[in-house]
Each structure stands twice: as C-alpha cells, then as structure tokens.
Amino acid sequence: MSAAQPSLLDSLHLAEKRLRRSGVDSPRLSAELLMARTLGVDRLWVLTHLDTRFAPQQALAYEASVGQRATGRPIAYLTGKREFYGRDFQVSSDVLIPRPETEVLLEWAQSLWSSGAELTFADAGTGCGAIGVCFASLFPKSRGVLTDRSISALRMAMKNVTVHKLDPRLFCICADLVSTFRRESLDAVLSNPPYISSADYWQLSPEIRHFEPGLALWGGMHGIEAPLRLIQQAYEVLRPGGWLVMEIGHDQFSLLLDWMQTRFGRDWSEVGVVQDWAGRDRVLRAKKV
C-alpha cells in the first residue's frame, strides 16, 4: 500500500523552502500560484483547502513546475497568464511579460478622448497584445492594428484578441513598429517599444535577461534607437492632432525631447512625460501639430 501524499500545506512549505534557496522572487507566492495551476483552481481555493492532498500525478507535476521556477523561469511563463489593467492575458516566452507600470500609459491615453471617440490606432510592438486590447476595450468604437516583428508574438496577440472578443475591431500584422501604415492614417500610436541600452541589458535580473525575449527589451546601443525610430514613423502616420503615447526609460526623456525639438521644431506640441507610481519618468506623450 503506497504512502499517502503530503497535504497541500506540507507541499507548500517544501516548495517555498526550495524556491527561497534558489533565490527567486516571491518564493511563497510562486509556490501558491504553481499549486493553483497544478490543481486547476484559483489561489484562494488553495489557501482555504490546505489540508487537501495531491493525487500522485498532481504531486509529480507540481514538483516539476517548482523545479522550473527554481531555475528562474518567470511565474507568468509557467502559469501561462498575467493580469494587466484588470484583464487576464495569455503569455509565453515569445512575449514580454506585461508590467504594472505600463498601465500608466493606458491611464494617460484614456484621458485624451471621450469613451465614445471613433479612433483608428496602432499598438506598435504589441507583444501579447495587452496595450491594444485594453485600449480597444476602453474605446468601444475604436479600430486598431497590432504590430510586431515577431510572428510568434503576433500569434499570442491574436489569441488574446480572440479571447477578449475583439476580432472584429483589431488586426495583427508583422511590421517594424508603424512603418507600413499610410501617411496620416492614425489618430493614436501607442507603444512599449524596446528601450534598454546594451549596458543596462546586462544589468537586468537573470529572470528577465535569461527568459524574456531580447528583441522586446533591447532598444539599441544607447537604448533610444528604437524610440527615435518610432517617433519618426509616428510623425508620418499620425493625423494632425493625433497622439503618440510611448513608454520610455526613466532617464531618456530629456534626450528624446532634445532630438524632437531639433528634428521637428514645432511640429510636435504638448510634449511631456508622465511619471509612474514610483515617481519615475515612464511615458512620453506628444501631439502632432
């Protein structure tokens, strides 16, 4: 007769101990989320049923997932989902994991138009599609195009578009930012482009550097090459009065502002920066004259 499986509480203690030794972030939370995924329940169910026991196959599956997390693989890639702006998104190692600080971009964008505005927009470098899906949900009469250079990322974006039932209004195309759009065809360009410099890239935590796609992180030698390219492209495709709303590095605004003033003069107005909840520069916004 085989020995009974340990309780969920005992399994959690062992998993947390292993993850803490490995040095990953939030070992207890990681252990709980992986347990919920293994059981096909939510985290609250786990926390209220800690005397329950795994079935043998579940115990093996849980141990395997904890082992992957111990290598540093992000929890979002193991659970296959991440919450962003109050919505769940499917994610994989093909896309950057959406961050809470990026929600500032949407909060600012939401303030620019009334909810009934009929907008045509682009989410440039969409990844899993989080920005484009949320923006389309905020503006029910809008239509948008989600772009990315990665076909694998676009497949994930299309899954999320379908899950959120936005297929009729959102389309995905393979492109470098907004390089393929007609001149003056958009009301808004939204983006979280790659903006990490070569030096900063090697300072990222191993969980980010080893597992998240470098294509979505590295913005060029100085980090501003991709943002500069987006500003140039956005100026061509935005209608007069259209807005560019773009996430940037915390130390990049003055450099980008100087370049915009030198290159475009007064062709951009209301150029400013929005800070995130930690008080760091996070989002550049600019209106095409």
Side-chain angles (χ1 to χ4, degrees), residues 25-103:
D25 295 334
S26 306
R28 176 69 180 196
L29 177 61
S30 294
E32 292 171 356
L33 291 173
L34 291 175
M35 182 169 286
R37 173 179 175 269
T38 300
L39 294 169
V41 297
D42 59 29
R43 180 168 164 248
L44 179 60
W45 189 97
V46 169
L47 297 177
T48 54
H49 292 77
L50 291 175
D51 57 343
T52 305
R53 298 181 185 277
F54 275 132
Q57 288 302 113
Q58 290 174 328
L60 291 173
Y62 182 59
E63 184 178 355
S65 65
V66 170
Q68 290 186 62
R69 178 69 180 121
T71 68
R73 184 172 293 278
I75 190 71
Y77 291 156
L78 292 171
T79 61
K81 66 179 182 179
R82 180 63 173 255
E83 182 182 345
F84 178 79
Y85 213 64
R87 296 168 176 83
D88 285 334
F89 288 88
Q90 296 182 35
V91 296
S92 71
S93 56
D94 295 315
V95 299
L96 196 69
I97 299 169
R99 265 68 170 181
E101 53 266 30
T102 304
E103 295 181 1

Side-chain angles (χ1 to χ4, degrees), residues 127-282:
C128 72
I131 291 176
V133 165
C134 290
F135 189 82
S137 300
L138 292 170
F139 297 95
K141 294 183 179 180
S142 66
R143 299 174 75 249
V145 179
L146 282 51
T147 76
D148 208 289
R149 288 188 292 171
S150 166
I151 294 295
S152 298
L154 286 175
R155 291 195 186 101
M156 185 59 64
M158 286 188 283
K159 286 182 181 179
N160 284 311
V161 167
T162 302
V163 166
H164 289 87
K165 298 180 172 56
L166 291 168
D167 317 52
R169 295 195 287 120
L170 293 181
F171 307 90
C172 298
I173 64 170
C174 186
D176 174 45
L177 301 173
V178 290
S179 59
T180 60
F181 288 80
R182 296 196 312 274
R183 183 177 177 81
E184 297 188 354
S185 60
L186 299 175
D187 299 300
V189 173
L190 316 168
S191 183
N192 178 12
Y195 57 76
I196 304 296
S197 68
S198 294
D200 288 342
Y201 182 80
W202 295 106
Q203 301 302 314
L204 295 173
S205 72
E207 287 194 24
I208 298 175
R209 193 173 71 249
H210 294 165
F211 293 98
E212 299 198 52
L215 185 67
L217 293 164
W218 184 64
M221 181 66 69
H222 303 288
I224 61 172
E225 288 85 340
L228 290 177
R229 196 165 72 253
L230 178 59
I231 293 169
Q232 176 69 53
Q233 293 177 11
Y235 181 78
E236 298 296 326
V237 303
L238 282 171
R239 299 181 179 116
W243 282 89
L244 167 65
V245 188
M246 172 179 67
E247 183 168 336
I248 60 174
H250 69 91
D251 57 352
Q252 295 177 343
F253 176 67
S254 60
L255 292 172
L256 295 173
L257 177 61
D258 288 345
W259 184 84
M260 291 175 75
Q261 292 175 336
T262 301
R263 172 69 179 80
F264 293 99
R266 297 183 179 179
D267 291 341
W268 288 105
S269 69
E270 301 183 48
V271 181
V273 66
V274 183
Q275 296 183 327
D276 61 21
W277 304 304
R280 304 179 66 157
D281 289 353
R282 182 61 56 186

